[in-house]
Amino acid sequence: MSKEALIEALNKDLANEYQAIVMYTTYSAAVKGSARLQLVDFFQSEIPDEQGHAQYLADKIVALGGVPTTTPAPVPSAETPREMLERVLEAEKKAVEGYSARSEQAKEAGELGLAIQLEDMIVDETGHYEETKKLLDEWS
Ligand SMILES: [Fe+2]
Ligand SMILES: [Fe+2]
């Protein structure tokens, strides 16, 4: 993969991180009913990780000679708490898959520091995925 293609892929990842920040912020504001007691803190607790990922990606894109996107990927709409958790689960799964592919591409491009950092982000996103899955599995 060329450096340009790697920068382009990292910019898609960055747009997805901004999406995650907007998604967690919006869902935590919008969630209603008794689930609100659980989910406000759950959604908001994910935001610092995603902000850290976005900052890392933006810094790396500039270091590679690119221009970081400022536009989040669109946030899927969700009405009920279950729908919100389902959308979150999909997004976190996509993040794990994306960073798994990106880490391999970074290795191929000789960017070992980036590859290792992306592996660390896979750990974070896997944690987000698993916590969401546990909530959703027993959701009534
Ligand atoms: Fe993230
Ligand atoms: Fe995440």
Side-chain angles (χ1 to χ4, degrees):
M1 174 178 260
S2 69
K3 200 166 93 171
E4 287 68 31
L6 183 61
I7 289 168
E8 200 182 317
L10 290 171
N11 253 325
K12 290 211 174 93
D13 297 331
L14 179 56
N16 289 333
E17 290 294 346
Y18 287 143
Q19 177 204 53
I21 293 165
V22 176
M23 182 163 69
Y24 284 127
T25 302
T26 306
Y27 287 0
S28 81
V31 65
K32 289 186 177 165
S34 59
R36 182 168 178 79
L37 294 169
Q38 263 179 300
L39 292 186
V40 169
D41 286 349
F42 178 70
F43 289 149
Q44 289 180 2
S45 71
E46 310 286 342
I47 294 171
D49 271 359
E50 313 300 15
Q51 264 171 346
H53 299 161
Q55 185 67 62
Y56 174 80
L57 291 171
D59 282 338
K60 182 56 76 176
I61 288 163
V62 171
L64 291 171
V67 179
T69 186
T70 55
T71 309
V75 174
S77 65
E79 298 293 324
T80 65
R82 169 176 280 281
E83 279 172 13
M84 290 176 187
L85 287 168
E86 285 169 350
R87 297 298 87 77
V88 164
L89 193 71
E90 287 160 8
E92 296 293 354
K93 184 168 188 276
K94 200 174 142 198
V96 172
E97 290 167 354
Y99 290 140
S100 301
R102 210 73 62 238
S103 175
E104 290 307 310
Q105 290 158 349
K107 264 178 222 161
E108 284 162 23
E111 293 286 340
L112 195 56
L114 171 60
I116 292 168
Q117 183 63 38
L118 289 166
E119 284 177 6
D120 211 53
M121 286 156 64
I122 295 170
V123 175
D124 291 344
E125 309 296 15
T126 301
H128 300 164
Y129 175 85
E130 289 175 352
E131 285 304 306
T132 307
K133 181 101 175 40
K134 285 177 190 175
L135 264 176
L136 203 47
D137 277 351
E138 294 296 322
W139 203 261
S140 50

